[in-house]
Amino acid sequence: MSRGPVLTRRDGLKGALGAAALATLAACGGGDDDSGSGDGASSSSGGSGGDVVANGTEPQNPLVPTNTNEVGGGRLLDSLWAGLVYYKADGTPENDLADSIETTDAQNYTIKIKSGQKFSDGSAVTAKSFVDAWNYGALGTNAQLSSYFFEPIAGYPEVQADPPTAQTMSGLKVVDDTTFTVALLQPESDFPLRLGYSAFYPLPDTAYADIKAYGENPVGNGPYKLKETGAWQHNVRIDFVKNDGYDGPRKAQNDTLAFVFYETYDAAYSDLQSGNLDVLDNIPSSALATYQDDLGDGAVNQPAAIFQSFCIPEGLAGFSGEEGKLRRQAFSYAFDRAQICKTIFNDTRTPAKDFSSPVIAGYSETVEGNEVLSLDADKAKQLWEQANAIAPWNGSTFTIAYNVDGDHQAWVDAVTAAIRQVLGIQAEGKPYPTFAQIRTEITNRTISGAFRTGWQADYPGLYNFLAPIYATGAGSNDGDYTNPAFDELLTKASGTTDQDAANKILQQAQTILFADLPVIPLWYSNASGGFDKDAKNVQFGWNSVPLYYQITKS
């Protein structure tokens, strides 16, 4: 799972989405302390805003930006680092470290960063800090989970070769301390929009001596830094303090920020009600029917760029080729998404109609083939028998793995019960105690059945909901799905400089996904959370993550 609304062309962001004009993502000074302004930034220099405690989950890996592609680690990265751009509460991109991002053809970019920027250890953030970090992330021998994000850059195939025929990408050039250029393999209509994602963060020179050790005690350049050595108590909590060296639009308004890693959301919700937790980003299913009454003005329920699904790996017995396609379709027809959203999630979820999110430009409820997302028990049985005509079902129990600390048991039980009833096979959930544990087995391809998946957008674009998850060899392609026709449409869309035209191509690509079902779409999640009465300026962003840096405590 990785970690939105329409991209708004502001402050000269034109060439990124239009072929002719010069694109400049100009600097923005942000807004004020009022979280209701919707810009997610504060022009204040930061003050004594108290000590804020939020919920979190133990990251899968040490905190290296190019090797973190899940939500638990992502929220930590976004607090410790500043990138070229950041996303305001509504998903609008604004400059953070970038002074300008310019292009005349959406293929060759000149990026200038603000001078005088520093990492939390006092070392300078330069153009080289970005170029070196991107080259490290792209190099195949470094096996970084987010290497796929550098695929558009010229020279990526050479550094990904086995063995690499180059150590650095030819498309990256340092011009001077504050300027570097990026040459892409083809025009990419939303490349500047991607640059707020954590894979594009800079690294200090000291990181490369021992990258794993660095990830355990990371040095970033963002609103916060680690409280002290040992501040990360694995599986317990991590503590940040305000980084006074950061002088960007996301300057921390509180003094400290702690993330507590709860075993369950029920435990976190209990702490929120008792005043031991200031902000909770997800309400447990046990409290969905009552939390808005319980929390009053502290309750949050708003659309977000989150897509939920479960994945049946291509290599799982009985699920490859035409047989597998039929069985996946049968499962998809076998359960009632709307009923689950109502009875289990109290309408804080919306049944899926496509593979993206209603808050993303290009979302459509009428993509060809999406009837497979409706309940039709007779159709499910017919498809299952067609699959059995190719190869009889092996009689094994179908399992859906899930992490207990993510509050997934209720819907997994409902889906597997429907599969048992409609198809007459044994199906059940397979619980894992933590998100990190299930993600490790998924990443290592040692998981033995289907598993829950989800996508919290990296940046607010339709392409981001498709390419990183379903493109051949993509870093988050957990089911090892591959379809050359789908890949071809992705390439065509990314090279289309008119974003509306590109989104229509991406909708066409989704018709292939509905036929193949590399994952079974479930629903879109709202940002359903809450905050304590003493927490002020709380705002949840386009991707459901609270804007931690602007929260204060009374």
Side-chain angles (χ1 to χ4, degrees):
M1 299 358 75
S2 185
R3 333 159 323 262
V6 179
L7 167 63
T8 303
R9 290 195 265 176
R10 299 178 53 160
D11 299 316
L13 182 58
K14 297 176 181 176
L17 300 177
L22 175 71
T24 303
L25 185 58
C28 175
D32 55 29
D33 286 347
D34 183 3
S35 66
S37 67
D39 67 5
S42 172
S43 60
S44 168
S45 60
S48 182
D51 303 315
V52 172
V53 182
N55 71 295
T57 54
E58 174 72 15
Q60 180 185 4
N61 297 311
L63 294 175
V64 177
T66 52
N67 204 40
T68 301
N69 68 345
E70 39 79 24
V71 176
R75 76 184 71 203
L76 306 183
L77 294 182
D78 293 344
S79 295
L80 292 172
W81 267 269
L84 294 167
V85 304
Y86 75 101
Y87 307 116
K88 292 165 48 171
D90 65 355
T92 304
E94 299 286 0
N95 278 358
D96 200 331
L97 261 66
D99 191 48
S100 63
I101 302 171
E102 299 179 346
T103 185
T104 57
D105 58 5
Q107 184 169 359
N108 297 281
Y109 291 85
T110 298
I111 299 175
K112 293 182 179 293
I113 66 171
K114 299 169 184 173
S115 61
Q117 304 301 307
K118 295 185 180 298
F119 290 102
S120 60
D121 64 358
S123 60
V125 180
T126 66
K128 185 175 181 293
S129 306
F130 285 94
V131 169
D132 287 352
W134 296 9
N135 278 320
Y136 177 84
L139 187 61
T141 52
N142 291 331
Q144 299 293 283
L145 290 174
S146 292
S147 64
Y148 178 78
F149 281 88
F150 305 106
E151 185 180 45
I153 300 174
Y156 179 83
E158 288 76 16
V159 301
Q160 277 282 305
D162 187 16
T165 57
Q167 295 296 303
T168 59
M169 290 180 286
S170 60
L172 296 179
K173 302 291 184 185
V174 175
V175 177
D176 55 41
D177 281 350
T178 58
T179 310
F180 67 102
T181 59
V182 184
L184 306 182
L185 292 167
Q186 66 168 28
E188 296 282 348
S189 59
D190 66 352
F191 183 72
L193 180 59
R194 305 175 197 180
L195 296 178
Y197 180 54
S198 57
F200 297 101
Y201 288 162
L203 290 175
D205 290 341
T206 54
Y208 305 104
D210 187 339
I211 197 73
K212 184 175 181 179
Y214 168 81
E216 292 288 344
N217 191 29
V219 172
N221 64 315
Y224 298 92
K225 59 184 179 180
L226 283 185
K227 185 175 182 179
E228 58 192 14
T229 301
W232 184 357
Q233 303 173 54
H234 286 290
N235 298 302
V236 179
R237 64 185 286 156
I238 191 167
D239 288 274
F240 298 161
V241 296
K242 180 170 56 180
N243 177 18
D244 290 325
Y246 171 73
D247 192 27
R250 297 185 297 132
K251 199 165 185 65
Q253 302 302 299
N254 45 63
D255 298 307
T256 69
L257 173 62
F259 291 95
V260 177
F261 306 146
Y262 289 92
E263 291 186 4
T264 67
Y265 279 108
D266 285 293
Y269 186 66
S270 177
D271 264 7
L272 178 68
Q273 290 181 296
S274 62
N276 295 319
L277 185 69
D278 297 310
V279 59
L280 175 65
D281 72 342
N282 194 44
I283 301 297
S285 57
S286 61
L288 286 176
T290 61
Y291 86 100
Q292 296 189 61
D293 290 332
D294 293 343
L295 302 180
D297 291 340
V300 175
N301 185 21
Q302 66 186 54
I306 303 176
F307 169 84
Q308 299 284 356
S309 58
F310 68 90
C311 177
I312 307 173
E314 293 286 316
L316 193 64
F319 289 95
S320 60
E322 185 64 21
E323 175 195 356
K325 186 184 299 187
L326 291 166
R327 295 197 191 283
R328 288 181 174 84
Q329 293 173 1
F331 284 154
S332 189
Y333 277 116
F335 61 96
D336 190 339
R337 292 161 175 80
Q339 185 66 20
I340 292 174
C341 287
K342 182 176 181 62
T343 59
I344 293 178
F345 295 116
N346 203 50
D347 293 325
T348 58
R349 307 291 190 273
T350 303
K353 298 294 185 182
D354 77 341
F355 287 81
S356 67
S357 162
V359 298
I360 294 291
Y363 164 79
S364 174
E365 295 186 355
T366 58
V367 177
E368 181 182 347
N370 73 351
E371 65 274 5
V372 76
L373 303 181
S374 58
L375 171 64
D376 189 332
D378 291 337
K379 183 72 171 178
K381 294 173 183 176
Q382 177 187 357
L383 290 163
W384 192 257
E385 290 308 313
Q386 290 177 17
N388 284 339
I390 296 173
W393 176 243
N394 57 23
S396 62
T397 299
F398 176 76
T399 59
I400 301 177
Y402 64 94
N403 51 302
V404 174
D405 61 355
D407 196 34
H408 296 285
Q409 181 178 350
W411 74 257
V412 171
D413 286 349
V415 170
T416 52
I419 291 172
R420 289 197 303 271
Q421 179 178 354
V422 172
L423 300 179
I425 67 169
Q426 186 59 33
E428 61 188 30
K430 182 179 180 180
Y432 284 71
T434 67
F435 181 76
Q437 287 173 299
I438 190 173
R439 283 304 309 170
T440 297
E441 286 205 16
I442 292 169
T443 301
N444 293 338
R445 302 300 191 262
T446 56
I447 201 157
S448 59
F451 48 88
R452 65 144 297 256
T453 48
W455 189 256
Q456 182 170 318
D458 306 311
Y459 60 89
L462 180 56
Y463 186 86
N464 182 243
F465 278 86
L466 305 180
I469 318 173
Y470 313 116
T472 301
S476 295
N477 188 343
D478 294 328
D480 297 321
Y481 172 71
T482 180
N483 187 314
F486 175 78
D487 293 341
E488 184 178 342
L489 288 172
L490 286 181
T491 301
K492 183 179 179 181
S494 64
T496 302
T497 53
D498 179 271
Q499 196 62 45
D500 290 337
N503 285 337
K504 289 180 180 178
I505 297 170
L506 293 174
Q507 290 171 6
Q508 184 182 353
Q510 290 191 73
T511 66
I512 297 174
L513 297 183
F514 276 124
D516 295 345
L517 290 178
V519 302
I520 310 296
L522 296 171
W523 36 76
Y524 315 114
S525 296
N526 278 10
S528 53
F531 54 92
D532 183 73
K533 64 182 185 305
D534 291 331
K536 308 300 180 184
N537 303 318
V538 180
Q539 187 175 22
F540 281 56
W542 61 280
N543 59 354
S544 88
V545 177
L547 305 183
Y548 300 108
Y549 58 87
Q550 69 180 33
I551 300 173
T552 59
K553 290 278 291 296
S554 61

